[in-house]
Amino acid sequence: MLSKRLVSTAAICLLLAAGTAACGDSKDSKAPAAAAVPKLDTDKLSADEIQKQAKDALATASSVKITGEMTDADGKMTIDLALDTKGQCTGTMSMPGTGKFEIISDGKQSFLKPDKDMWTAVGGPNGAKAAELFKGRYLTGFESDDDFKSLSSVCNLTVLSKQLVEEDGDKSTYTKGSAGTVNGAKTFSLKAKDAKGEESTIHVLVEGKPYPVRIEKAGGKESGQMNFGDFDKPLTVQAPPADSVIDFKKFKELQGA
């Protein structure tokens, strides 16, 4: 069976720092020329106001790419995922103790390609057999399964945006940082502290839409960084070849379900 940790990891990494988790290691995150776009008035705005503008800007994006890694007591989690408001996505994720998987969604159907470690982890007593039998192949038709359906919702930026806008329960506090640059784009940093005292740094674009483009965590239970980029860049997603796809029912049959 798929672990609770696996199906919730995507939401966790996307909602770091009260919904302003970040991404952006591409030139597409760079703002246009200063004279042609509005600027974030970091002198007049409070830290809370800047944080809200960043969260609201991210919630209006039609697409985004998320990249980065976070390490906690369980190990390292990585993500490299592009997604949009049409429910399309393409990319990879990995979790400690579970393995790595590729996920593709064209907005109607989702495809999941686990690596050997993940097949073994989710396959129960027949995990090793599943890893060999389904090696290099994509699972589809898992959206209605309680253990797997959360993975398909990971690909929907509309769902994520709603979570970002409504994420008020964290009760994080924010203080102003300083001006800087992320991948050549001008930014302003915010220091965030959650209710447990965990601290992170959020970097926000100051020219154009105030997208959050990076979040860094260090010195606490988690460390690493996440980046946002390729804002509003159209996604081109292609379903895998039919001969490399297996129906979820066959996987369940192997489990004896």
Side-chain angles (χ1 to χ4, degrees):
M1 299 295 287
L2 198 63
S3 70
K4 297 290 186 181
R5 176 182 175 82
L6 175 58
V7 297
S8 64
T9 294
I12 292 172
C13 75
L14 297 178
L15 294 173
L16 285 170
T20 51
C23 319
D25 67 338
S26 77
K27 294 181 180 178
D28 294 296
S29 64
K30 187 183 296 185
V37 296
K39 288 187 176 182
L40 188 68
D41 194 339
T42 57
D43 290 331
K44 292 184 178 180
L45 294 172
S46 68
D48 285 342
E49 289 170 332
I50 294 172
Q51 183 271 342
K52 185 178 186 304
Q53 287 199 26
K55 186 164 68 172
D56 290 348
L58 184 58
T60 67
S62 61
S63 63
V64 67
K65 184 175 183 180
I66 305 168
T67 61
E69 61 183 43
M70 284 286 168
T71 301
D72 62 14
D74 293 323
K76 182 187 294 183
M77 183 211 75
T78 66
I79 182 170
D80 186 341
L81 182 72
L83 65 160
D84 67 14
T85 54
K86 297 178 182 179
Q88 298 185 122
C89 78
T90 179
T92 61
M93 293 182 65
S94 68
M95 272 75 67
T98 303
K100 184 177 182 179
F101 63 89
E102 177 185 352
I103 188 165
I104 299 173
S105 176
D106 60 8
K108 297 179 181 179
Q109 191 172 12
S110 298
F111 305 88
L112 185 74
K113 184 167 77 170
D115 68 0
K116 180 179 179 180
D117 290 339
M118 183 175 173
W119 275 125
T120 302
V122 304
N126 291 314
K129 184 176 180 181
E132 184 61 31
L133 186 62
F134 303 138
K135 181 179 179 181
R137 304 178 75 181
Y138 293 83
L139 267 178
T140 193
F142 55 81
E143 290 85 353
S144 62
D145 184 85
D146 289 340
D147 291 319
F148 279 79
K149 63 184 178 181
S150 294
L151 289 176
S152 57
S153 66
V154 166
C155 289
N156 195 321
L157 186 56
T158 299
V159 174
L160 170 63
S161 296
K162 183 178 180 181
Q163 290 175 314
L164 298 180
V165 172
E166 295 178 353
E167 180 70 27
D168 292 321
D170 181 76
K171 304 302 181 184
S172 293
T173 57
Y174 301 90
T175 55
K176 288 185 177 182
S178 59
T181 60
V182 173
N183 300 314
K186 294 181 180 179
T187 59
F188 188 81
S189 65
L190 296 175
K191 303 293 183 180
K193 180 181 289 188
D194 65 20
K196 297 180 180 179
E198 293 290 309
E199 297 182 347
S200 58
T201 302
I202 304 164
H203 301 269
V204 181
L205 290 179
V206 297
E207 294 179 349
K209 288 188 177 182
Y211 290 123
V213 291
R214 176 172 294 166
I215 183 170
E216 300 168 338
K217 296 175 75 72
K221 294 180 179 180
E222 292 181 321
S223 63
Q225 72 176 33
M226 289 283 172
N227 298 291
F228 283 175
D230 288 357
F231 297 105
D232 304 314
K233 182 177 180 179
L235 264 65
T236 300
V237 178
Q238 186 173 358
D243 60 0
S244 66
V245 176
I246 59 170
D247 191 272
F248 186 70
K249 291 180 181 178
K250 291 187 177 180
F251 173 66
K252 296 297 284 187
E253 288 173 0
L254 182 64
Q255 289 185 305

